[in-house]
Amino acid sequence: PRLRQRLQAVFVEMSFERQSEVLLESIAQYEAGIRQLLNCSDWRKLLHIVLVAGNYLNSTNKSTSGAWGIEVSTGLQKLAQAKATGRAKFTLLHWVAEVADSKAPELFSLQARLDKLEGAANIKLEDLKADLVQLVKGCELVERELKASSGETFGVPSSTPGAREFITAMKPFLLETAKPVTERLQRAMDSLEKHATQILDEHGEIPSKCSASQLLATAHMFCKALNKAREENLLAQVVEDKKSKIEVKKKTGKAKNGDSTISPCLAATSKQLDKQLKVDQLNKKLRNSFRKSSTRTNDSGSAIKEALAKMKRSAGAGIQTA
């Protein structure tokens, strides 16, 4: 009789140490992330910059009726969605990064300093509570079986085989290990719940809408997105500097060619002089060509005259001979 209950108690004793260690580590990790965010003054400074931006937008937005404040769990994610009218890729998150870069550059190290948020964000308080309840129920099962085997439940000690050995093996486990550990875990859980409520209250969040793990995840993702926005701002600045240098080179080249630094009157005069110079050069070429053609004509005329004179002389010589 009661073999199944005793086997369950033995299974509790075998798995208790591993389960309690995992639960204690998870509670410590979760609370470390919450404490890290609670004690970070630079995180509050960053939220102050975001709050200024949010209040300014709300004051000019009729749909919000001039509401003051911003929900951290949802408002931080919306910063990347609010885009500027003049710059398509410039969002409110880029503006926050720009202000932080000029006023408080130390805020960009929050992602490295808040290194416990990512691990704590993956833990849920409800799961930790369920694990603790399971351990407590296991301890209660062991305690019930010990009472049944020792006679405290039925008034008569159990005469089933192995009852005395079960008491000898399980009673030290219950008194020296199970109860002290579960009490320690319960104290750690109470402290964790207290800090989880505190961090939600400080950020103005409602526990039914946002949990502490969701808040930690939002803070981690926002710090990561802030650093990315800063890198994009620096890249945009480099591109803008290159464009300005190209414009300066273009203007400098125009100035050397006389298109930008010379006044309109001087530019018009220089064009007229160039035109007159080209006309003079053309006239000079024409005069030279006329001179060459006249010289050739004179040379051919004198040659004809000499030929006629030779013909006359030869004709006169033939008459005399006859």
Side-chain angles (χ1 to χ4, degrees):
R2 305 190 67 83
L3 177 61
R4 183 174 62 86
Q5 290 84 350
R6 290 183 184 180
L7 291 176
Q8 289 177 349
V10 172
F11 177 76
V12 169
E13 189 269 338
M14 293 174 60
S15 60
F16 183 84
E17 183 178 0
R18 180 181 58 83
Q19 292 180 355
S20 61
E21 288 179 355
V22 172
L23 180 58
L24 189 60
E25 290 177 359
S26 300
I27 293 175
Q29 185 180 7
Y30 197 3
E31 188 166 8
I34 293 176
R35 286 177 177 273
Q36 197 174 56
L37 193 63
L38 282 173
N39 299 329
C40 185
S41 59
D42 286 339
W43 170 249
R44 299 189 185 91
K45 189 184 297 183
L46 178 58
L47 290 182
H48 177 72
I49 298 175
V50 175
L51 182 62
V52 170
N55 289 340
Y56 176 76
L57 291 180
N58 290 337
S59 63
T60 57
N61 191 355
K62 295 182 179 180
S63 62
T64 57
S65 301
W68 294 90
I70 186 173
E71 290 186 2
V72 177
S73 58
T74 58
L76 296 181
Q77 300 175 1
K78 294 180 180 179
L79 293 180
Q81 302 174 3
K83 296 183 179 180
T85 55
R87 301 164 64 181
K89 296 184 179 180
F90 191 81
T91 63
L92 190 58
L93 179 62
H94 292 90
W95 180 86
V96 173
E98 194 175 81
V99 174
D101 199 10
S102 60
K103 301 294 183 181
E106 66 275 6
L107 298 180
F108 295 100
S109 62
L110 281 174
Q111 183 182 0
R113 285 185 286 159
L114 299 177
D115 56 341
K116 298 180 180 179
L117 296 186
E118 185 176 7
N122 296 325
I123 302 173
K124 294 182 179 180
L125 186 60
E126 293 78 11
D127 295 340
L128 299 180
K129 290 181 180 180
D131 292 341
L132 180 58
V133 169
Q134 185 177 358
L135 286 178
V136 172
K137 287 182 177 181
C139 293
E140 292 175 353
L141 174 64
V142 174
E143 188 174 6
R144 285 198 306 269
E145 289 305 310
L146 285 174
K147 289 180 179 181
S149 299
S150 61
E152 295 182 17
T153 303
F154 303 104
V156 180
S158 177
S159 58
T160 57
R164 186 174 300 176
E165 290 80 0
F166 177 79
I167 295 173
T168 304
M170 300 304 293
K171 190 172 184 179
F173 162 72
L174 179 65
L175 298 178
E176 299 176 5
T177 304
K179 282 190 174 182
V181 172
T182 52
E183 291 175 358
R184 179 185 174 187
L185 288 172
Q186 188 62 55
R187 290 192 299 268
M189 184 65 69
D190 294 339
S191 176
L192 178 60
E193 290 180 350
K194 178 181 177 181
H195 287 100
T197 304
Q198 181 183 356
I199 195 172
L200 291 177
D201 291 340
E202 288 194 4
H203 289 81
E205 297 293 334
I206 302 175
S208 60
K209 293 183 178 180
C210 178
S211 63
S213 58
Q214 292 175 346
L215 183 62
L216 296 178
T218 301
H220 171 71
M221 294 302 297
F222 182 69
C223 293
K224 187 176 180 180
L226 184 69
N227 289 342
K228 184 178 179 181
R230 185 195 190 190
E231 294 176 357
E232 292 175 352
N233 286 343
L234 295 175
L235 181 61
Q237 185 64 37
V238 171
V239 173
E240 191 67 25
D241 292 342
K242 288 184 178 180
K243 288 183 179 179
S244 61
K245 289 180 180 180
I246 292 173
E247 291 296 330
V248 170
K249 288 182 179 179
K250 288 182 179 180
K251 292 180 180 180
T252 305
K254 290 181 179 180
K256 290 181 179 179
N257 295 329
D259 294 335
S260 59
T261 56
I262 300 176
S263 63
C265 294
L266 292 176
T269 305
S270 64
K271 289 181 179 180
Q272 292 177 359
L273 291 174
D274 291 339
K275 186 176 180 181
Q276 187 64 37
L277 181 60
K278 291 180 179 179
V279 171
D280 293 341
Q281 291 177 353
L282 182 59
N283 291 333
K284 186 176 180 180
K285 289 181 179 180
L286 289 173
R287 286 195 298 269
N288 292 334
S289 64
F290 287 146
R291 288 176 183 176
K292 288 180 179 180
S293 61
S294 62
T295 303
R296 291 174 181 174
T297 303
N298 294 331
D299 293 341
S300 61
S302 59
I304 292 170
K305 289 179 180 181
E306 290 180 0
L308 291 173
K310 286 182 178 181
M311 291 175 64
K312 287 179 180 182
R313 287 195 297 270
S314 61
I319 295 169
Q320 290 179 1
T321 306

